[in-house]
Amino acid sequence: MTHCITRGAIAAVTVVATGLALAACTPASDDNGQLVAFGPQGENGSLKDNLFTQEVEKKFDIDFDWQTTTYDGSVAGEKRQISLASGDYPDAYFLVPWVDGFSRNEILKYGQQGVLVPLEDLIDEYAPNLAERFEEKPDWKQSVTAPDGHIYAITQWSECFHCSYPSKLWMNTTWLDALGLEQPTTTEELRTVLRAFKDGDPNGNGAADEVPLSGSASEPIINYLMNAFTYAPVGGPSSPPPLVLDGDEVALNATSDSWRAGLEYITSLAQEGLLDTGAFTQNGDALKALGDSGDAQILGSAVTLHPYVFVSADSPDGRDKNYDAVAPIAGPDGTQLATWRSPVNPVGTFALTNKSTEDERIEAIKLLDYLATDEGQIRASMGPEGEAWVPAVDGDLALDPELEPTFRPITYDETSNAAWRSMSQYWDSLEFRNAQVVPEDIYTPDGYERRLLYATQEYEPFQPDESVIFPIEKLWPDLETSAELAELQTNIATYITQAQAEFVTGQRDITDDGAWDAYVADIEGLGLARYLELLQTAYDAL
């Protein structure tokens, strides 16, 4: 969602700047003791009627007055921006990072304008659990502390292990068995397997309807394949362009010779019909339609975070059990890497404004402090005890067998309006998550988390060295250049994404030196040198 937010911020710069001059001077509102809160509301019921909302209203003496938006990121971001620009903004924000949130540029801007109030004194006095978490996870505290020393917004902290390696290849093991093949370990072995999927009728229906490899635009298929040639950072519609460290210097990997070699390989797969080029444009629903398609199973493999992205859990024919993760493959020169995602999230999701009263601030920060406890996290993100989870008992096995089990998730009605779910996930440490009880049968929905654990353990050894990973999520912008940086980033990232799709689909010739040189020149013409200069300055300030 970062780019969606950035685009909104750029488009709204003029109107926001006008509104902020008034907004910063707006006194605390008289809302009759209600905490006016802005947050996304799903289709399973209102936030007002949500059971967790009602519980915390009693627990912390809060009377919520909700201003709601949807889980559509563009709509949510626009509504938040309009409220800030007009001066008609709430007392508090409770946001979901993958929907919309405050960028670091916004956090600094609104914080220094006085719209967002500093939280560090409130945390020190009224949020001992959150303060303790900051001590446990110093990277979390660093990530929320602005260069001026203030904390204007809190981010969600997630050490979800399987989420840390988002670009995984999931392959149909039953097809491999039917064709007498093993999982591929190199780029050419992968080509061999995909050819067999295409031509060998592994679904046995006599039709050439197999799709060897696919994906979706939201989870770039390029990443998994590119990691056999050079490191591909986390990508997606809202991500920065692929940046890496070259010593102590930030560099764009998408113009390197190794990146071109990766594109040549990926293009060759597409030319043979082994790679579904719809992966560059289709959304997650279209990918899942392939996985769930008709009577015959037609999808051989997909690059996604986890299998339920492209195939329904508990499928009637059991096809959801057929996919296993393929470890990172090695390229021609032995390169074998895995895309890694940091637990640091730069998007601010909890913030208090100057419209709130002192009492309301204390009530809200106590609520956030509760969300930073195991008890609060389980209740808020999952649901009530006995309905969404039960305490562990003797004999239970934690996801990490070295940890003492604490709770066991149970089958839960997804239409229930009893939890805040993603809006509440401020504390998701590795220890907390891996202490949950998970059955040993990894091919059942209840054992799914263990299936993802085992898959991710195949990727962990291939995480690049820190000397390669550029920590863009840790950077704080300079207010004087932040709008410029955001625009450069959006333009460069968008161009690279479009151009790569054109290379792979044959609209540009990746083997033509002139076409490649034009691609590099276009990126340079978009202000690459200035973009890298601004990033370097921010990196050097860490």
Side-chain angles (χ1 to χ4, degrees):
M1 293 302 154
T2 306
H3 282 184
C4 295
I5 298 167
T6 300
R7 291 190 190 104
I10 295 169
V13 163
T14 303
V15 67
V16 169
T18 303
L20 280 175
L22 296 175
C25 301
T26 305
S29 61
D30 180 7
D31 51 27
N32 298 317
Q34 289 185 304
L35 183 72
V36 181
F38 182 100
Q41 183 170 277
E43 298 178 354
N44 56 329
S46 70
L47 283 169
K48 176 182 178 181
D49 296 329
N50 183 277
L51 181 58
F52 182 70
T53 298
Q54 295 173 355
E55 288 179 8
V56 295
E57 282 185 324
K58 294 178 181 177
K59 186 178 183 70
F60 299 104
D61 194 26
I62 299 174
D63 184 8
F64 279 107
D65 177 14
W66 288 102
Q67 294 179 355
T68 61
T69 183
T70 72
Y71 275 76
D72 182 320
S74 59
V75 173
E78 182 179 8
K79 185 171 182 179
R80 180 177 58 84
Q81 288 281 355
I82 290 173
S83 73
L84 287 160
S86 67
D88 185 21
Y89 49 83
D91 302 322
Y93 289 92
F94 292 87
L95 307 175
V96 174
W98 50 266
V99 176
D100 172 53
F102 288 94
S103 69
R104 287 199 163 151
N105 176 38
E106 291 177 312
I107 291 170
L108 280 180
K109 180 187 297 182
Y110 298 144
Q112 294 185 9
Q113 287 283 346
V115 176
L116 300 184
V117 300
L119 304 175
E120 62 273 5
D121 289 344
L122 288 166
I123 293 170
D124 288 343
E125 189 166 356
Y126 300 105
N129 297 300
L130 182 58
E132 183 178 345
R133 298 307 191 199
F134 282 165
E135 293 301 314
E136 291 178 37
K137 309 292 180 182
D139 279 355
W140 189 12
K141 185 174 183 180
Q142 185 276 334
S143 75
V144 299
T145 304
D148 63 6
H150 290 305
I151 298 175
Y152 297 110
I154 305 296
T155 64
Q156 293 188 0
W157 179 261
S158 175
E159 293 178 317
C160 164
F161 181 54
H162 83 90
C163 307
S164 300
Y165 301 89
S167 298
K168 298 186 184 73
L169 175 62
W170 298 89
M171 183 168 283
N172 193 321
T173 302
T174 59
W175 284 15
L176 289 174
D177 293 342
L179 296 167
L181 297 170
E182 300 291 334
Q183 280 194 348
T185 61
T186 68
T187 50
E188 288 312 305
E189 287 180 8
L190 176 61
R191 188 192 302 275
T192 298
V193 167
L194 296 180
R195 283 172 176 166
F197 282 0
K198 178 177 179 287
D199 301 326
D201 191 27
N203 64 13
N205 68 349
D209 55 358
E210 287 84 358
V211 178
L213 172 62
S214 192
S216 71
S218 61
E219 297 181 86
I221 198 168
I222 279 180
N223 281 24
Y224 176 85
L225 300 169
M226 187 62 70
N227 276 316
F229 296 84
T230 187
Y231 182 56
V234 174
S238 61
S239 300
L243 300 164
V244 293
L245 282 176
D246 181 6
D248 290 328
E249 302 292 320
V250 58
L252 180 69
N253 216 13
T255 56
S256 66
D257 291 342
S258 53
W259 196 274
R260 182 183 182 184
L263 284 177
E264 289 179 356
Y265 170 74
I266 297 166
T267 300
S268 72
L269 297 181
Q271 289 173 339
E272 286 194 57
L274 308 179
L275 166 62
D276 173 20
T277 55
F280 293 93
T281 56
Q282 68 189 3
N283 61 21
D285 291 339
L287 175 61
K288 197 162 190 178
L290 286 178
D292 287 342
S293 177
D295 296 328
Q297 192 172 7
I298 66 171
L299 185 60
S301 56
V303 174
T304 63
L305 178 62
H306 59 87
Y308 289 174
V309 171
F310 62 86
V311 63
S312 294
D314 256 349
S315 298
D317 61 0
R319 67 178 63 182
D320 57 303
K321 301 175 176 63
N322 295 345
Y323 295 91
D324 292 298
V326 177
I329 53 175
D333 67 355
T335 299
Q336 193 173 13
L337 299 168
T339 297
W340 178 75
R341 172 183 283 141
S342 168
V344 173
N345 192 324
V347 177
T349 50
F350 171 81
L352 295 170
T353 76
N354 58 359
K355 295 273 186 93
S356 60
T357 66
E358 185 65 23
D359 286 345
E360 290 166 346
R361 294 171 191 176
I362 293 171
E363 294 163 358
I365 206 69
K366 286 182 175 180
L367 167 56
L368 198 77
D369 190 56
Y370 177 59
L371 298 180
T373 65
D374 290 354
E375 174 192 339
Q377 181 59 202
I378 293 172
R379 173 61 193 91
S381 64
M382 297 180 64
E385 181 179 353
E387 294 181 26
W389 61 278
V390 293
V393 298
D394 289 344
D396 280 341
L397 179 68
L399 184 60
D400 181 345
E402 295 184 2
L403 294 176
E404 185 73 22
T406 56
F407 67 96
R408 176 168 59 87
I410 57 179
T411 303
Y412 182 54
D413 180 5
E414 290 296 326
T415 65
S416 170
N417 189 29
W420 279 6
R421 305 195 185 188
S422 296
M423 198 171 75
S424 65
Q425 292 177 333
Y426 284 87
W427 177 242
D428 197 15
S429 72
L430 192 63
E431 298 85 355
F432 167 77
R433 190 180 186 95
N434 286 358
Q436 65 181 301
V437 177
V438 179
E440 294 186 74
D441 185 349
I442 65 173
Y443 294 106
T444 64
D446 287 345
Y448 192 59
E449 192 74 24
R450 190 173 297 281
R451 182 179 177 186
L452 301 184
L453 171 71
Y454 292 163
T456 307
Q457 287 173 341
E458 298 294 317
Y459 281 69
E460 187 178 25
F462 301 102
Q463 177 181 326
D465 186 86
E466 288 185 0
S467 63
V468 174
I469 299 172
F470 181 63
I472 192 169
E473 71 282 348
K474 293 185 178 182
L475 304 187
W476 282 90
D478 183 325
L479 276 180
E480 293 184 1
T481 59
S482 59
E484 179 188 8
L485 176 63
E487 184 173 10
L488 288 168
Q489 178 164 293
T490 298
N491 291 342
I492 292 171
T494 300
Y495 177 80
I496 290 172
T497 299
Q498 293 173 345
Q500 289 181 156
E502 290 168 1
F503 278 126
V504 174
T505 57
Q507 297 174 61
R508 304 188 190 207
D509 185 355
I510 189 63
T511 65
D512 181 352
D513 290 343
W516 179 257
D517 291 343
Y519 159 78
V520 173
D522 285 346
I523 295 174
E524 292 172 347
L526 289 171
L528 175 61
R530 176 61 173 162
Y531 175 59
L532 296 179
E533 176 189 356
L534 294 173
L535 287 176
Q536 189 69 46
T537 299
Y539 175 69
D540 291 342
L542 285 178

